[in-house]
Amino acid sequence: MHVISVGRDILGINRELARKNREVFDKNRVLAVNIMGAIGSGKTSLIEVLCKELREYKIAALAGDVISDVDANRLKKLGIPVQGVNTGKECHLDAHLVGHAIRKIQLEDIDILFIENVGNLICPVDFELGTQRDITIVSVTEGDDTVEKHPMIFLNSDALIINKIDIADSVNASVDKMERDALRINSKLRVFKISLKKGTGVPEVVEWIKRSRDEI
Ligand code: MG
């Protein structure tokens, strides 16, 4: 029983810290985007592509990872400010870690902050970060039942990006089923069907990010 009450406290504290992060983002007029998704779904690639397509904006990134700095180093090659955030044993970022990391970025000079969460569809669900937008990206290679198997993350997302649609037939995945499952879970989800490799569907995502930035 104690475990349950401690768990509640942790989530309550996280929610309060997330609220503070949001104040910092809003005060600096930074659009913060939490990017969640499994390993190999295309989180880092999405940030790389969006940085190239959103050149007129000043962009920074946080790269969450259990222990490595592989993604952080990949993103540094884009020439943007990047902070790696190691979570140790934890399989998600939390508002406390993000709150510390953003102190090392000159947010007053930034328009958009991309936050790459740790690679899985389960742990990040309970830990809001204070971001104004939350995206979940899935790849058709995860199987077209991956959406229905992870309903909670789609309840807490604003957008679903289905990636690698160019190889859906080769891996026997129905993109339409993934979209249907997602909208059944959360009818307000914005769904994008894209191929980061081919560039298919990317302009729609770019437009959505621009509009989101205008709305804050
Ligand atoms: Mg990555």
Side-chain angles (χ1 to χ4, degrees):
M1 293 306 276
H2 284 140
V3 174
I4 291 169
S5 64
V6 169
R8 276 194 189 133
D9 280 344
I10 287 170
L11 292 183
I13 291 165
N14 186 76
R15 203 167 299 120
E16 176 59 19
L17 292 171
R19 197 186 55 73
K20 286 184 181 157
N21 288 347
R22 173 68 70 92
E23 278 177 12
V24 173
F25 295 140
D26 286 342
K27 190 181 75 184
N28 289 285
R29 207 170 164 241
V30 172
L31 170 69
V33 184
N34 177 20
I35 300 176
M36 301 173 284
I39 291 169
S41 57
K43 298 183 294 303
T44 317
S45 300
L46 176 68
I47 297 172
E48 287 173 335
V49 167
L50 290 177
C51 279
K52 285 175 190 146
E53 298 294 326
L54 292 160
R55 282 184 201 283
E56 66 266 45
Y57 294 86
K58 286 167 279 175
I59 296 175
L62 303 185
D65 216 326
V66 180
I67 197 158
S68 83
D69 54 6
V70 175
D71 286 348
N73 288 336
R74 243 175 95 180
L75 294 174
K76 277 176 190 162
K77 292 193 183 126
L78 297 165
I80 61 170
V82 176
Q83 283 294 323
V85 187
N86 285 137
T87 59
K89 284 191 213 159
E90 302 296 336
C91 49
H92 56 83
L93 289 176
D94 61 35
H96 176 75
L97 285 169
V98 167
H100 271 281
I102 57 177
R103 281 183 217 156
K104 297 176 199 154
I105 293 177
Q106 301 290 336
L107 285 181
E108 62 272 26
D109 299 334
I110 296 298
D111 301 318
I112 301 171
L113 175 70
F114 291 120
I115 303 178
E116 179 173 347
N117 218 311
V118 182
N120 70 89
L121 292 168
I122 300 158
C123 314
V125 168
D126 286 324
F127 292 85
E128 53 194 289
L129 306 180
T131 43
Q132 296 99 333
R133 294 289 183 274
D134 297 271
I135 294 177
T136 299
I137 179 167
V138 299
S139 160
V140 297
T141 55
E142 295 164 49
D144 60 13
D145 54 359
T146 190
V147 172
E148 64 175 329
K149 280 156 82 178
H150 301 94
M152 296 310 291
I153 201 156
F154 301 103
L155 278 176
N156 294 338
S157 296
D158 302 297
L160 161 65
I161 294 178
I162 305 172
N163 188 22
K164 308 187 194 177
I165 59 165
D166 52 316
I167 57 166
D169 285 346
S170 320
V171 296
N172 265 325
S174 163
V175 174
D176 288 341
K177 172 188 160 36
M178 297 170 91
E179 178 179 30
R180 269 198 315 275
D181 289 345
L183 291 173
R184 201 178 304 123
I185 295 161
N186 178 358
S187 60
K188 294 197 190 92
L189 262 185
R190 182 70 204 270
V191 180
F192 299 98
K193 297 177 257 188
I194 75 168
S195 163
L196 284 171
K197 194 174 169 192
K198 302 250 159 124
T200 319
V202 170
E204 287 79 6
V205 180
V206 170
E207 273 316 301
W208 183 75
I209 296 279
K210 285 183 180 175
R211 204 166 345 107
S212 298
R213 156 78 192 170
D214 287 343
E215 282 167 8
I216 62 162

